[in-house]
Amino acid sequence: DHRLQEVILGHMIVKSFLGYDMEVQKFAQSVDAHHDARLNEAKIVARSAASVQMIGGMIIALILFLAQSPFCRLSGGDFACLLTAILALLRPLKQLSAVSELSHKVVASSESLMKLKQYPKEHIDSSSDKKVNECSVHSKQPIPASLEFCNVTFCYPEQNETASLQNISFKLLPGQTIALVGPSGGGKSTLVSLVPRFYAFQGQILLNDIDITTMPLLTLRKDIAFVGQETILFNDTIAANIAYGSKEIDWVELRHAAQLAFAEDFINEMPQGFLTKIGVGGYRLSGGERQRLALARAFYKNAPLLILDEATSALDADSEEQVQRALTSLMSRSSTLVIAHHLNTIIRADKILFLDKGMIIEQGTHAELIEKNGYYAQLYAQSFRENQNVIT
């Protein structure tokens, strides 16, 4: 089912925007629909099998009739033996082919299940978690959060103890923006994925001076809005995608979020406005429109902590300008941890962390790092030259 595929690919959005119960309910509905479809299919197959058997009987009768004709040279005994052998072989052959097909399905399913079993389970069963999940994700007046990393180390299980992050320590004050820069594979995306507890880690991460490992999982994620490099949208209406994770839609706030994300104009041009279905993965929208819907979703959630993972990297120049304006507005409302390649976003950050090979090599403001003339200054000079070439 395409819905299951969407949920698996967009699991970070489902987790970040607390879409657990909603997805379970939709999956149950899909399973029921699939069950009904398979039941109807079984009825059709049963009818077909009866028809085939009847036709087979007619063919056998025809063979018997022809066996009595003067053109057939088989004796009665020979013909009876041949017919009996053919009929005796049909059923075992059908059973063998069915067993072979079933065994291949079982092996493939077992391999998939074993892989899934290796992933760590998330425990979302406490009473406080349930209370949070019963509430709307939308928050009207959030207070910007503080975030602190204290000697955080992390390595993926498949990396054989090679750390992806080593002794990471920094502090994000309420209302501030910290930009993460550095070469690909330096650990930037891994770092931001630890804040919503997508992975277990060593060390301590504090949100508003509270260790996040002691917080109920849904309570933690309710305070975080996540916008990733890959825009994840679901095969639903525009309104349902913006208000994803909410039990009920606040239409006033929904339209306001669309305005802040510079998405209201193109939404109003859609056939059914906010009630227009956008297709699997939002294929009916352009890249810039999809990204603005993702930003509108973050505006609607209005969380105290905003995480941006290269949210404009895959856009053309015209779309990026609109999305960048929306990002600037969004970042002004929350504390922000941003992986950025856009120079304006980096320059305006309160602090810049340069990551390489899982370690913070340099940190400071833009002016401080330029004056230091180290790794960041070289990266900035290179990015500046590339931008100048694009402009010219």
Side-chain angles (χ1 to χ4, degrees):
D1 185 76
H2 69 84
R3 185 74 192 189
L4 182 60
Q5 184 179 5
E6 285 181 337
V7 171
I8 293 173
L9 293 176
H11 67 96
M12 286 190 175
I13 296 299
V14 175
K15 293 175 181 178
S16 298
F17 288 84
L18 312 185
Y20 306 94
D21 289 346
M22 182 175 65
E23 293 302 339
V24 170
Q25 183 179 2
K26 289 184 177 180
F27 181 72
Q29 293 172 352
S30 298
V31 169
D32 290 340
H34 181 68
H35 172 267
D36 294 340
R38 290 302 298 270
L39 186 59
N40 292 331
E41 180 184 349
K43 291 178 181 178
I44 295 172
V45 170
R47 294 192 189 102
S48 300
S51 301
V52 170
Q53 289 177 0
M54 184 178 66
I55 294 172
M58 294 173 65
I59 293 174
I60 292 173
L62 179 61
I63 293 174
L64 290 173
F65 174 78
L66 293 175
Q68 296 176 356
S69 67
F71 301 102
C72 183
R73 297 182 179 179
L74 288 176
S75 65
D78 292 338
F79 176 76
C81 291
L82 177 62
L83 186 60
T84 303
I86 292 174
L87 293 176
L89 283 172
L90 287 178
R91 187 173 181 180
L93 288 174
K94 288 181 180 179
Q95 291 176 339
L96 283 174
S97 62
V99 169
S100 176
E101 181 182 355
L102 181 61
S103 64
H104 282 88
K105 288 183 178 179
V106 169
V107 170
S109 300
S110 299
E111 291 177 354
S112 299
L113 287 173
M114 291 304 295
K115 289 180 180 179
L116 288 174
K117 194 174 181 180
Q118 294 175 359
Y119 286 92
K121 296 181 180 179
E122 291 186 337
H123 300 283
I124 310 175
D125 55 359
S126 67
S127 58
S128 54
D129 273 340
K130 291 179 180 178
K131 289 180 181 179
V132 172
N133 205 29
E134 289 171 358
C135 301
S136 170
V137 174
H138 174 64
S139 178
K140 291 189 176 181
Q141 293 182 341
I143 300 175
S146 65
L147 180 70
E148 184 174 4
F149 275 60
C150 303
N151 298 317
V152 173
T153 298
F154 171 78
C155 64
Y156 291 99
E158 62 271 17
Q159 289 186 330
N160 298 324
E161 306 302 325
T162 302
S164 298
L165 296 174
Q166 303 179 46
N167 298 322
I168 300 295
S169 297
F170 66 88
K171 187 168 186 178
L172 171 66
L173 298 177
Q176 284 189 340
T177 295
I178 288 184
L180 306 176
V181 299
S184 298
K188 303 184 294 296
S189 294
T190 300
L191 187 151
V192 299
S193 68
L194 298 184
V195 181
R197 276 170 52 193
F198 293 151
Y199 304 101
F201 55 88
Q202 297 177 354
Q204 195 175 44
I205 300 177
L206 305 176
L207 181 66
N208 293 328
D209 298 323
I210 302 174
D211 190 334
I212 66 171
T213 59
T214 66
M215 299 174 65
L217 197 56
L218 296 186
T219 303
L220 168 66
R221 292 175 179 173
K222 186 176 183 294
D223 290 336
I224 300 171
F226 179 84
V227 182
Q229 180 177 353
E230 295 184 7
T231 305
I232 303 297
L233 298 174
F234 301 97
N235 185 18
D236 210 330
T237 64
I238 290 176
N241 273 280
I242 294 177
Y244 183 79
S246 297
K247 297 294 183 182
E248 296 180 0
I249 297 177
D250 186 331
W251 286 95
V252 174
E253 291 298 324
L254 184 82
R255 294 181 183 278
H256 185 54
Q259 290 175 353
L260 293 173
F262 297 94
E264 189 177 36
D265 290 341
F266 83 80
I267 292 175
N268 290 333
E269 293 174 0
M270 302 295 288
Q272 294 178 289
F274 283 89
L275 299 179
T276 302
K277 288 199 171 185
I278 59 176
V280 179
Y283 75 90
R284 296 178 182 174
L285 305 177
S286 68
E289 290 169 346
R290 289 196 296 268
Q291 193 66 65
R292 278 177 278 166
L293 279 191
L295 291 174
R297 182 164 55 199
F299 273 114
Y300 185 84
K301 188 174 184 181
N302 209 11
L305 179 63
L306 173 65
I307 296 177
L308 302 173
D309 187 355
E310 296 192 71
T312 64
S313 60
L315 301 179
D316 55 61
D318 293 335
S319 299
E320 184 173 4
E321 183 180 354
Q322 289 182 308
V323 172
Q324 191 62 39
R325 284 188 293 164
L327 278 174
T328 302
S329 176
L330 182 59
M331 292 166 64
S332 66
R333 302 155 64 97
S334 310
S335 303
T336 307
L337 193 60
V338 54
I339 300 174
H341 74 287
H342 198 284
L343 295 180
N344 290 334
T345 304
I346 299 172
I347 293 173
R348 294 173 183 172
D350 297 285
K351 183 184 291 186
I352 300 168
L353 306 180
F354 189 98
L355 271 74
D356 189 18
K357 297 179 181 178
M359 296 182 290
I360 298 177
I361 306 300
E362 294 178 341
Q363 60 179 306
T365 64
H366 171 74
E368 292 171 348
L369 294 178
I370 290 296
E371 184 178 356
K372 188 177 180 179
N373 197 26
Y375 294 100
Y376 172 77
Q378 296 176 15
L379 179 65
Y380 175 77
Q382 180 182 353
S383 300
F384 184 79
R385 286 194 300 269
E386 290 176 355
N387 282 7
Q388 288 295 102
N389 292 335
V390 170
I391 295 173
T392 55

